[in-house]
Each structure stands twice: as C-alpha cells, then as structure tokens.
Amino acid sequence: MISAVSRLFSGNDGGTETPLWRRPPVLLWAAVSLIGLGFLVGLEIAARHYGTPGPITTQAREVIFPPKSGTVLYAAMTLMLVVLTWRQRFLAVGAAVGIDLLFWLVRWAAGAPTMFGNGALIVTLACAVIAVTRRTGRERALLLKGVGLALLLVAGRKTGYTWLDITAQTRPMVLDQYVATADHALGNPSWVAGRIVQATGAIGADVLEWVYIQLAVGAVVVALYQLRGVAAERRFPRHHLVRTFLVIGLLGPGIYMVFPVVGPIFAYGADGAQWALADLWPHTPPPLDTPRAMIFDGSTPRNCMPSLHTAWATAIFIHSRKGPRALRFLGAFWLVATLGATLGFGYHYGADILAGVVFTLTIEIALRALDRGRDRRGLLLAGYGTAVFTALLLSYRFLSQELAALPWLCGPLLVLATASVVYGYVRTTRLWEREAGRPAVPEPRREPQPELV
C-alpha cells in the first residue's frame, strides 16, 4: 500500500530523484488547484444562500442531464486533446461522439430535449481518472494539466453564470445613469452602433450574435495554435491565451460588484420593461440630467463595467498576432465583431469598452512580466494600467457631468488614456522580443601582453 502511494506521487520508481510532488512546479499547481477548489466551494455556498444552484451543482448535472452549451464542452475537450497522441485523440473524439449519440437516442425516445456535450464532459473526466490510475511521472502531470485546462474553461463559464445571478440579487441599485452621462463625451457610441446594426438587417445581426455567443470558439482556435506543440514537446508553453482568459474571468466579476451596471438596452430600452427610465435606445440619446443610482430588478445581471466580452476579444486579438495570416485575420475579425455586438445590441456603453481594453492589457502585461522573473519594466506598466483603469472608473462615477459638459476635451482624454496603455504594451513587448532575439555576445578574450626580457 505504501509503495503504491509512493509510486502515485513520484516521478520514478526508485533512485534518489526528488519526488514529483515535492518539485516547485507541482507544488505551484497543487496550490492553485486548492485555491480554485476553495473558490468554487465558496461560490457554491453563496449561490445556495441566494436560492440558486452553484457552479459545482450545475456542472455535475451535465454529466447526465442536457448541458447548457455543448459547444463549450467540446471546445474544452479539444483543449485537453493537445496533450494526447493522434491515435488517442481519435479514440477520445470517437468515444465522445458515440456517448452523445447514445444520449441523443435515449432522450429522443423519452421525448426529452436532445442536446449534445455530455460525451465530451464524460471523456474529459475519464482522462482525469486514467491520468491518476494509469500514468506516472511527467506523463501523469501533463495529462492532468490538459484535463485541468479543459475543466477550468468549463468551470469558468459556470462560475460566470453564478456570479451574474449573485450580482442581480445583491446589487439592487445600478449606476447606469452615471455611465450614460459620461458616454456623452464619447458621442454615445452604443446608440450609434445600435442604429447601424438595425440598418444591416437580420443577416448582420445574426453574424454578430453568433460571434458574441460563441466567444469560446475563437479563443479555442487561437489556443490550439499556441498549444500545437505540447504533444511533441511534452510540456506547455510558459504563456498562452488560456491563462489570460482565466484571470480575466476571475477578476472581472468582482468589479461588477463594485460598479453595477445593466446596460443601455435595459436601463434605456424596451428590454428593461417597467424598470427602464424610458424607451430611448437606440434612436434617442439619454438627456443630460443629474445622474443618480437607480433601482433595478433582481434578475438582470449587473455585468457591464468593464466589458468582459471586449476584454476576452482583446486577448484573442493579442494572442493571434504571432500566428499565420488566417489566424491574425480571425483575431481581428473577432475583436471588431465583438465590439459591434456589445455596442450594437445595447449590452454595453462606450465607457465599458475602454475599461475592458485597459483591463485586459494590464492583466496580460502583468502575466508576461511575472513569466520573465518579475520584470521591472512590465510590472511598472501593469501598475500604470491599474492606475488608468481605476481613474476611468472614478471619473465615470464622480465626474460624469463634467465629462459630458466638455466632450471636445474629455472624450479625447479618455481615448488618449486608453491609447497610452496600448502604446506602453506594444512598446514593452516589442522590446522584450528584441531582447529575446538578440544573440548572446561572448566577452572579448584578452590576449596575453608581451613582456620585456
């Protein structure tokens, strides 16, 4: 029994090599896993306190019951496949499709909703069991990392849904009037984009809606390109898109609780019903009155500030820049279409978009600076980005009337503040790339000097 446990946590069967579980990377992964598990358990308890199922409950149900999004489950399984050989990938995909067909037939016969995705989740969980029971050493660690990435993507989505329910129930007052007033300095872009989307008709709206809903698909495509060498190299790259995605999803909802906003389609549009101030969106910009916090219903998520869809689409764009032309085009298209959807459907104000861009660049530069051994230049830029992000939120809340009164001055200043973070990010990352590509020059060899005899 003792020897079995020793082999389970050790990278080899003998010798004096340090056990795998005592190596720093493994300890780091273990600590992160414990923190993540504690966060999920805490969120589960909080959700049940407010009468809604938590992320653990909803995810466990999808092993058997119809999942909410089969596309996300298959996208998550695809991330896990990067650690497998081609033969193992075919077996995994075949098993997932076969299980889904079986579930589909049973549900069809019983008259239940015929969704797909259970097979992908079951195969992912089965790979976790195989990693613990059939793999050892580095192979076990690699497969568990692949499974962990897949489950983190799924858990992140479930966690987001739970956070949205909690924001609606714990933040009865929203700050939309302040953001809408500040948006006058930017020319009310949501109202402009809303009229443009309506003019494009059903085709334009359908394309934007698909891009907006299937954000995870674009992320997985870029992540697969970045992780394409994992199976051959038997290790993950130091930095990739999934890391940024997860940090955005972890930190963003906390800001929702501090700055609750529902969005123009709800606060100023027909979707807000009796809770809306008026039915103004997208044809009539809101009047410049004195803003105040307003009460809203207990079901609409307060998920506008910052725009996490913009943040994630910005991350996709950034990480697609080092890929081939088709991938770069995909990243640019996803960013532009997401911006069009977030504004054109009335889900966000222009101020949310600026905050979302700064939010992403700050997280991205901080992660890359930590990967470079806490690079001083990168950490200073991350601090600057944090300061700009904080200044944007404070100006929206306490200086919204001043911003709207001087749009010719304050609008460009808001854009300039965002552009300064973009410029700092581009300049710093290019400098890092030049340093990484600069060949090491050996010290000149000192020749012996002739001596007088």
Side-chain angles (χ1 to χ4, degrees), residues 317-338:
F317 175 80
I318 291 172
H319 284 264
S320 66
R321 294 305 88 196
K322 299 302 179 183
R325 179 179 299 178
L327 193 69
R328 296 197 301 271
F329 174 80
L330 173 71
F333 167 76
W334 222 274
L335 177 59
V336 173
T338 300

Side-chain angles (χ1 to χ4, degrees), residues 19 55 73 102 140 170 312 315 320 328 349:
L73 292 176
L102 179 61
R140 173 190 288 140
T170 61
W312 282 317
S320 66
R328 296 197 301 271
Y349 302 92

Side-chain angles (χ1 to χ4, degrees), residues 271-284:
D271 288 16
Q274 73 270 21
W275 301 96
L277 286 175
D279 189 2
L280 301 177
W281 188 90
H283 300 290
T284 306

Side-chain angles (χ1 to χ4, degrees), residues 359-380:
F359 185 66
T360 296
L361 293 176
T362 302
I363 291 174
E364 178 71 17
I365 199 68
L367 290 175
R368 296 191 64 175
L370 292 175
D371 284 338
R372 294 177 58 86
R374 299 184 180 182
D375 182 89
R376 182 175 179 273
R377 187 186 300 109
L379 292 179
L380 287 175

Side-chain angles (χ1 to χ4, degrees), residues 428-452:
T428 302
T429 52
R430 286 182 176 175
L431 182 61
W432 285 344
E433 290 168 3
R434 286 198 298 268
E435 291 176 352
R438 186 180 302 154
V441 180
E443 290 291 332
R445 186 176 178 180
R446 186 171 180 176
E447 296 292 338
Q449 298 295 322
E451 297 181 4
L452 295 175

Side-chain angles (χ1 to χ4, degrees), residues 167-237:
T167 61
Q169 297 188 49
T170 61
R171 293 295 182 268
M173 307 299 290
V174 297
L175 304 177
D176 282 76
Q177 292 187 38
Y178 293 93
V179 184
T181 301
D183 235 32
H184 280 275
L186 300 172
N188 299 297
S190 180
W191 273 256
V192 175
R195 293 193 294 270
I196 294 174
V197 170
Q198 285 188 352
T200 62
I203 296 178
D206 289 344
V207 171
L208 293 181
E209 183 179 18
W210 186 86
V211 172
Y212 187 85
I213 295 174
Q214 303 297 341
L215 181 71
V217 175
V220 168
V221 171
V222 176
L224 286 178
Y225 175 79
Q226 292 182 321
L227 303 177
R228 66 193 184 280
V230 171
E233 299 174 3
R234 313 311 294 165
R235 64 178 181 84
F236 279 84

